[in-house]
Amino acid sequence: MHCHGFIFFAILSVTILSLAGCGSPPPPPPPPQAVAPPPPPEPITINPIGEVEVKAGTSKVIEVQINRAGHAGEGSIEAMAPQGQEGFTVSASPILEDSRTGTITVEVAESVGAGEAMASVPVTVNLDGQSAMDNLTIRVPKIEAPTIVREGDAAVQPGRTCRLPVSIDRHGYPAKAIEIRDASLPGDPATAPPTGTEPTGPAVKIQPSMIAGDAARADLEVTVDPDVPEGEATVPLVGTFMGQPFTTDMKVRVLAYPFRVGSLKAIAIKPGEQLSLPLPVSRTAYTGPIEVAVEGLPAGVSVEPITINAGASEASLTLTAAPDAETRVRSAVIHAIGEHYMIDTPLVVRVEEDGGSSAFVERQSPDVQRFLKLGGIRGRLSAEARQALAAYHGGTLASDEAVRQGLAWIAARQQADGSWTLQATAGGTSGDPNAMAAATPTGDDNAVAATALALLPFLSEGVIHKVNPNEPSDLGNYRPVVERGLAALARNQMRSKDKADGYFGGGGVGHSLATLAMAEAYALSRDDRLKLSVRQGLKCLLANQEQNGAWLDAAGQPADLQTAGWVAAALQACKQAGLGSSGPTTTKAIKFIDSCAAGAGGVPTSRFRSPVEPRVTPAATATGIAIHFWLGKPVPDADLQSGVAYLMENTPPETSATLGPIRGTFMGTEVLRRVGGAEFDLWNHLAREHVVRTQLAIGDDAGSWDPTDSDMGKLSGRLSSTALAILTLQTSYRQLPPMPHEPPADGEADAEAEPAASP
């Protein structure tokens, strides 16, 4: 049944289709609808580029970002160098098809940085037929000077040329070389320092340097004058970086002792002995290892070099003296080196046998012994004896040369009449033959004091008017100088029937110095022509002593220690000459001196002050103690120890370039010579080095010392400073070292006898 139904429907369908094909044609299709045109493509855009800083001498890559707006493919960038502006180079890289970013590279020449510059670069991006434009503004700042600063606590030392480590910041500029130099040094006018930058006074100078382009640090060579104080110093620099001049300031730390090894001291060692010397180590700006060696030791004494470990605060040296080590004093030097720092510390070493000065004399040749055993000042007459004494007390070639230069300066300034002036200028007088208490000539007019002071250094070298010294031969040139000077003093001496009999002139100080010089000349020469002059000078001294035991420099003036000191020195010289002194005079003088004592704590004569200067001073203290020695009445031991301790607290300076209070230095050296031991060795080293260091080396007054008026009082002037400086250097051999066989201090000696030993 289902099959019959299917057939029926099929036939019916065919019939209907047939009937339809036989009718009217079908209607035409409807007209096509109009298609809307596609929308135009979105334009590409550039994100604003804005202003970009590019430093001179560098290049910079700048990103250019676009909005593709649906556009595919690779885009190109066009960037043009600024028109009419030199020094800019611009290039671009494309925008890849899968990226929104391209780049522009801008290179700026060094020359553009001479001043701040601005430039505009038009930028065009092309993509898929689209274009977009923007402007890139380039700002070029003026080239910034590099910053050069010292590293950490690095320091430089006065009186030395040192390396100063510095770090360099180029502030992002290329690794280009930097040329610098001290603004005070001559150089290219184009890089001359600004007005007012030239340093004055003691200087810290940086040597010209070229810092490599790849260096982030460097070492500058810095020279520091000896008198530059410790602390921060500012050194103006000029330089060139990337072709541009610049100025900057360098902060330099001046430090005398970045570290210290040991301290200035005097030690003694016996022949055949071994001695351990502790070395404390202090560190300020250096903590690394330190190499230590010792130079300049006495012959026969040796020390092995050592290395002090980094951070160590102590070490020790071992000194070994051979059995035949030379008996003498030498100023050795402890050399301590750590990196670029070097510290020299003096070490005064005495090789001393048992028996001290007596053993020293016994070791000399018979010829030298003969002069030394004469006592007093007769050892000066032998060059060998002077040299032996100088070596025994630490004399040096430098101190000997300073004496020679000083003598030449004094000799060249003697006037036609044989006298000198305190200022050592032409036109002086021959003195003022008035009574001792008359007004004292001052300044250039006190030719008596000047002439006597000028003669004393020649006499200390054994130069006398009768014969030439045996050596060195150049001293013989000064025999006529001494002869004319003695004649000038003798011509000026008064003869009268009162207290002025024997007065040389020049007030109390001038007369005392003249008596001192004449007495030394007689002791050395035994010339009877001088004997009467010395006796008359001594007579005048004794006659003009005040009731209180003092001597006045001039009538109406108060007594003072300076005048008393020169009187005491003259009295001692008269006794050494065998012409005696008076016990009562000495007793009264000591009472006056002790009235000037100002020590406390049971040691009254350990300190002194002059009646005209109420405060205690080293010069007054040294003068008071020296007078006691000269008059044969040493202060008690406890007072002497306390006085020496006070003087050792006021030693001559280690580094000063100014002579300073030379009278105090001279008197202190005389006192410490009598005391001996480590105190004298240390004081004598400091005094000798200070005097040698402060002698003028150039100019019309080369060989002399600048005046120290505040210290000299009535003796102010270049001549007196020079004479006392030389006498200080001659202390080692002006008098013999104290001997155990010294005779009693008091009593008159026969005029024909050999002079007594030094008290």
Side-chain angles (χ1 to χ4, degrees), residues 338-704:
E339 288 188 355
H340 57 279
Y341 298 122
M342 183 173 70
I343 308 295
D344 285 345
T345 303
L347 175 66
V348 185
V349 181
R350 174 182 287 277
V351 179
E352 184 78 284
E353 295 179 274
D354 291 332
S357 57
S358 295
F360 156 74
V361 172
E362 294 301 325
R363 292 193 68 173
Q364 306 307 311
S365 68
D367 286 343
V368 172
Q369 283 189 30
R370 179 171 64 88
F371 283 98
L372 296 182
K373 289 184 176 181
L374 287 175
I377 64 176
R378 297 293 293 278
R380 306 178 192 177
L381 294 175
S382 164
E384 293 84 358
R386 292 197 308 273
Q387 291 166 2
L389 286 168
Y392 182 64
H393 289 304
T396 65
L397 292 175
S399 63
D400 185 65
E401 179 61 22
V403 169
R404 295 288 178 269
Q405 295 293 328
L407 293 177
W409 182 87
I410 293 177
R413 279 146 184 83
Q414 187 177 35
Q415 300 183 108
D417 64 355
S419 69
W420 281 267
T421 65
L422 289 176
Q423 301 300 330
T425 57
T429 69
S430 59
D432 182 7
N434 294 319
M436 186 168 183
T440 302
T442 59
D444 281 354
D445 293 331
N446 198 342
V448 171
T451 301
L453 277 172
L455 287 171
L456 289 173
F458 293 103
L459 296 171
S460 294
E461 291 296 315
V463 180
I464 55 177
H465 61 289
K466 291 179 65 175
V467 296
N468 289 335
N470 59 340
E471 62 176 71
S473 59
D474 64 302
L475 289 180
N477 298 329
Y478 300 132
R479 186 187 62 77
V481 173
V482 172
E483 186 173 26
R484 290 195 300 269
L486 292 173
L489 291 178
R491 284 196 307 269
N492 210 58
Q493 192 173 30
M494 291 183 61
R495 296 290 184 266
S496 68
K497 298 184 180 299
D498 56 16
K499 293 194 306 181
D501 188 29
Y503 178 56
F504 285 102
V509 170
H511 175 78
S512 300
L513 286 167
T515 304
L516 170 61
M518 296 292 275
E520 288 198 357
Y522 171 69
L524 292 170
S525 68
R526 292 304 182 190
D527 186 344
D528 286 339
R529 292 177 298 174
L530 299 176
K531 182 190 297 186
L532 178 60
S533 183
V534 176
R535 284 191 179 278
Q536 292 300 106
L538 175 60
K539 176 184 175 182
C540 184
L541 281 176
L542 301 180
N544 282 275
Q545 187 179 28
E546 298 291 307
Q547 287 299 315
N548 65 353
W551 284 267
L552 303 182
D553 186 46
Q557 292 187 355
D560 64 273
L561 275 180
Q562 182 177 168
T563 302
W566 293 121
V567 171
L571 293 176
Q572 185 217 29
C574 290
K575 187 174 71 171
Q576 286 181 322
L579 302 179
S581 61
S582 171
T585 297
T586 297
T587 301
K588 289 172 61 178
I590 290 295
K591 287 183 179 180
F592 165 71
I593 299 307
D594 287 352
S595 72
C596 302
V603 285
T605 52
S606 64
R607 309 285 193 280
F608 289 88
R609 60 189 177 196
S610 179
V612 297
E613 173 58 63
R615 65 187 181 91
V616 170
T617 66
T621 296
T623 302
I625 298 175
I627 291 172
H628 271 271
F629 277 124
W630 282 330
L631 296 181
K633 302 289 185 181
V635 299
D637 287 345
D639 296 55
L640 182 59
Q641 291 175 10
S642 178
V644 167
Y646 171 66
L647 293 178
M648 295 306 294
E649 293 171 359
N650 296 276
T651 56
E654 286 189 62
T655 58
S656 175
T658 303
L659 181 62
I662 185 57
R663 183 171 64 89
T665 300
F666 168 74
M667 291 292 184
T669 306
E670 177 63 24
V671 168
L672 270 298
R673 182 190 72 84
R674 304 295 186 111
V675 174
E679 288 91 351
F680 172 62
D681 290 339
L682 184 57
W683 175 285
N684 195 41
H685 163 84
L686 289 170
R688 182 187 66 243
E689 297 302 307
H690 174 63
V691 170
V692 170
R693 182 176 57 251
T694 54
Q695 186 179 34
L696 296 183
I698 58 175
D700 293 339
D701 286 315
S704 71

